[in-house]
């Protein structure tokens, strides 16, 4: 397991953490999944869209990868049951 730097940037805030992953691909995949989950939870009751840039960097090798993530949540009113 190697140490990776993880950055989530939505244009307003930038969160940084470090984690242990087997590869940079695993780190990026897990980062994208976590960012999508947070965006859905944030937008869940009001709906809307959010864009996040997910970046991971292999601290030892200096390799860096980024992926943009665009999440849209639409709220649909549900008719009350009789």
């Amino acid at each position: 397991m190697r140490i990776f730097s993880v950055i989530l940037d939505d244009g307003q805030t930038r969160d940084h953490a470090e984690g242990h992953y087997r590869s940079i691909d695993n780190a990026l995949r897990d980062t994208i999944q976590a960012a999508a989950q947070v965006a859905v939870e944030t937008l869940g009751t009001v709906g809307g869209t959010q864009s996040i840039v997910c970046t991971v960097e292999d601290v030892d090798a200096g390799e860096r990868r980024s992926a943009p993530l665009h999440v849209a949540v639409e709220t649909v009113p549900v008719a009350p049951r009789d």
Side-chain angles (χ1 to χ4, degrees):
M1 297 277 248
R2 299 189 321 243
I3 297 173
F4 289 88
S5 176
V6 176
I7 301 166
L8 299 177
D9 187 346
D10 69 0
Q12 296 178 1
T13 58
R14 185 177 180 143
D15 294 321
H16 180 268
E18 289 189 351
H20 292 78
Y21 298 93
R22 293 187 187 277
S23 71
I24 197 163
D25 292 329
N26 287 350
L28 187 58
R29 184 192 67 234
D30 289 356
T31 300
I32 290 168
Q33 289 175 346
Q37 181 65 35
V38 168
V40 167
E41 288 174 3
T42 301
L43 299 170
T45 57
V46 295
T49 62
Q50 185 172 13
S51 296
I52 302 169
V53 176
C54 303
T55 303
V56 294
E57 181 177 356
D58 184 329
V59 175
D60 293 331
E63 183 180 4
R64 184 179 203 147
R65 293 198 189 162
S66 295
L69 174 67
H70 305 285
V71 178
V73 174
E74 180 180 354
T75 59
V76 178
V78 177
R81 293 184 177 189
D82 294 333

